[in-house]
Structure formats: structure tokens, C-alpha cells
């Protein structure tokens, strides 16, 4: 049997074939990721600072808000409906959050806003959201300079109806999750082609 001579041209063709397959797969994945930010409404709570006390208060406010306002999204079938509900309850949610913070003995001002925010790729249990701009209900406690906590309000991944709240330790693990390499790679490739 004659020996096969592997040339530089053969190598270039092989690399080209693999790259073509990879780009096709990446394109489909990137298009899927691009669609996800339009399908969710996030809850985002920013702590006053990174002190242990302020971080604990952030989790307490999370539990209070999810308990008090989980029902407002129960009848929502679309993101537009969820956003409309959030908009109609923003003042009420801000007042409730402010009263709760005061009842805990703090004088921090709390603001509640519905806005578009950029989030990095993060995981919430088995659900991973790629980096991108998302509509979020944001609670800013005081200076809002501490680590934040987030979840998905619509569809209801963080509401009591969807199961138990994360414990404080589980929430800290989610917050410290490093961006998943597979998404980082896809995001880098997306920046090259799109």
C-alpha cells in the first residue's frame, strides 16, 4: 500500500472543513442565544455594600419581595404581559421594599426601576442565560454598590410557585459562578462574525 503524503494544502482543507462545520453550529447556537434575552423578565437586587450585614439584608429583601409580589405574574402568558404587570406595580413594590428596609432598622433609600440592563452569562440552577441585555425589575438598596442578586421572574424561575428559594449559600454560589467557557467561546466567535 502506497504511503499517504499529507501536504500543507491537505491540512488547510481539513481545517477549512472543520471551521465550516463549527461556524454553522455556532451560528445556530448564537441565534438561539440572541433570542433568549427577549423571553425573560429578570429580578435584580443591588445591595448597599459588600458588608456581611448589607448582603444579608439583600437576601432578606429578596425573600420579602418574592413572597409579597409573586402573584402579580401568575396570570402572565407573555413577556409583554409580565412587563405591563411590573410597570403597573412599580410604585407599590418600591413602597413595600422601602417599608421593609425601614422595619429592619435601616435608613437606606430603596428605588425600584424597570429597565434594560446588561447581564453576563450566568446560571440559575440548571438554567443558563447567555450574556446580553435583559429587561429587569431592579431594586437598588442605598448606594447599590454591593454584590447583586438576580433571578428570572418570568417565566417564574425564582417565584415561590416554582419551588423553594435558594438558600443564602446557594445564592452566593450562583453569584460567584464564573462565566461558562462554552458561552464565552460562542460570544467571542459571535463578535467575529456578527
Amino acid at each position: 500500500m502506497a504511503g499517504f503524503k499529507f501536504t500543507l494544502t491537505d491540512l488547510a482543507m481539513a481545517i477549512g472543513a472543520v471551521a465550516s462545520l463549527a461556524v454553522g453550529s455556532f451560528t445556530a447556537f448564537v441565534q438561539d442565544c440572541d433570542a433568549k434575552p427577549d423571553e425573560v423578565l429578570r429580578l435584580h437586587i443591588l445591595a448597599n455594600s459588600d458588608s456581611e450585614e448589607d448582603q444579608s439584608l439583600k437576601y432578606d429583601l429578596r425573600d420579602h419581595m418574592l413572597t409579597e409580589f409573586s402573584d402579580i405574574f401568575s396570570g402572565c402568558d407573555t413577556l409583554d404581559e409580565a412587563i405591563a404587570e411590573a410597570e403597573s406595580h412599580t410604585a407599590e413594590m418600591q413602597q413595600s421594599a422601602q417599608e421593609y428596609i425601614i422595619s429592619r432598622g435601616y435608613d437606606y433609600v430603596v428605588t425600584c426601576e424597570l429597565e434594560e440592563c446588561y447581564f453576563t452569562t450566568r446560571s440559575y440552577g440548571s438554567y443558563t442565560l447567555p450574556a446580553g441585555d435583559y429587561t429587569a425589575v431592579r431594586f437598588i438598596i442605598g448606594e447599590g454598590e454591593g454584590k447583586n442578586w438576580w433571578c428570572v421572574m418570568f417565566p417564574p424561575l425564582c417565584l415561590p410557585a416554582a419551588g423553594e428559594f435558594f438558600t443564602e449559600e446557594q445564592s452566593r454560589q450562583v453569584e460567584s459562578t464564573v462565566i461558562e467557557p462554552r458561552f464565552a467561546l460562542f460570544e467571542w466567535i459571535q463578535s467575529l462574525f456578527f
Side-chain angles (χ1 to χ4, degrees), residues 8-10 21 49 68 103 107 123 157 176:
L8 188 56
T9 303
D10 294 327
L21 289 171
S49 74
E68 293 295 312
S103 76
D107 62 359
S123 293
L157 298 181
S176 64

Side-chain angles (χ1 to χ4, degrees), residues 147-186:
K147 290 182 184 142
N148 64 81
W149 179 86
W150 68 269
C151 71
V152 177
M153 296 184 80
F154 180 86
L157 298 181
C158 62
L159 302 180
E164 296 297 320
F165 297 135
F166 275 180
T167 65
E168 189 168 327
E169 181 57 33
Q170 289 169 325
S171 293
R172 289 180 197 271
Q173 288 173 358
V174 168
E175 290 167 1
S176 64
T177 301
V178 176
I179 293 175
E180 294 195 15
R182 67 174 188 261
F183 282 114
L185 174 64
F186 290 128

